[in-house]
Every structure is written in C-alpha cells, then in structure tokens.
Amino acid sequence: MATGVRTSRAGTIVLVIDPDPATRLVLEWAAELEGLRPVVVSSASDAYGIFAEESNQIILVVLDIARGAEEGVAARRLQLDAPRVAAIPAVVLSDRPLTDAERATLQPAITVLKPLQVEEAQEIMRGGRSASWREGVFIRGLSGGGPRVVLH
C-alpha cells in the first residue's frame, strides 16, 4: 500500500484526501460511524495508489481544497482520467463557493463549505451510498445553518 496512508478495518471505502488533520479526524470518525472504511491520504500519488489497489471497494472520494488545494485537485484529475474510478462521486470541501472553472475541473457530486460540522460529515458518509447525489441540482441546509451543501 502507498506510504503516508492511514486505513481502518476492511470494508467499503471512503477515500479522504485532506491536508487538515482536524477535518481528517472528523471524516474518519463519521465514516466509521456509518460502517464505512476511511482511507486517508494527503497526496495525489497516494490517492492514485489507492485508486489502483482498491478501485472496486471505493464508493466515495472526499477532497479538501480549502488548504493545500493542489493535491486534492491533482488527485481528482487522476481519478477522472482513469475509467475504472472516474464515476466514483466526489465531495469537495472548500472555504468558499467553487468557481465555474473549479466545478468543471472537479465535477463534484456536492460541495460542502467549511468549517465542517460533525453532522455534515455524517451526512456526507450517508450520502456516499445514495444515488440521489447524481440526480439533480439543489441546495440543502444542514445543522440548521442555512445552505451549506450544494449538489451539482
């Protein structure tokens, strides 16, 4: 397995590409609560290794572009260029709304504005198993804080 990768027990995988330690912990915890196996990486090369090794197990990719955006964007580009994993939905975490160019490049299922709340992390993991992310465009407010999750 790639270096710099943290994995949990066996099972359906959520691949997390995030340089922020606090956000990684929240996402790992939420994935485990939902019965998913979080695989956490901090680089595009590590993500590519996981895509190659675990393509049949990955159901969701979560990438944070708020800090260290280059690795998350590079990992998503690698994913979209690989036919075996291109269709796996991606959740983009950001500290601001995505530009049209970022949306076109990243093709997110949803964008979640940071700071990430625990409830939002759990909703992301629940939604990773849901086909509804691929069926339309709408804004849904979570945690009573107004529109924070944007489905594209």
Side-chain angles (χ1 to χ4, degrees), residues 14-18 24 27-28 38-42 61-62 125:
V14 173
L15 178 58
V16 177
I17 307 153
D18 197 327
R24 282 194 312 254
L27 290 166
E28 282 182 281
V39 175
V40 180
V41 300
S42 57
V61 176
V62 180
M125 299 309 160

Side-chain angles (χ1 to χ4, degrees), residues 37-117:
R37 176 180 158 212
V39 175
V40 180
V41 300
S42 57
S43 73
S45 61
D46 287 343
Y48 186 77
I50 298 300
F51 284 131
E53 294 172 12
E54 306 282 357
S55 63
N56 294 327
Q57 296 297 324
I58 302 169
I59 63 163
L60 181 64
V61 176
V62 180
L63 56 112
D64 186 346
I65 65 165
R67 295 187 342 196
E70 301 80 22
E71 291 298 324
V73 171
R76 182 66 172 154
R77 284 183 173 151
L78 288 170
Q79 176 194 357
L80 292 171
D81 287 342
R84 283 190 332 180
V85 295
I88 299 169
V91 173
V92 174
L93 306 178
S94 181
D95 56 354
R96 58 178 170 66
L98 298 182
T99 65
D100 290 340
E102 288 170 325
R103 248 189 319 282
T105 297
L106 299 172
Q107 301 174 31
I110 64 171
T111 300
V112 180
L113 298 178
K114 291 182 77 175
L116 182 66
Q117 304 298 316

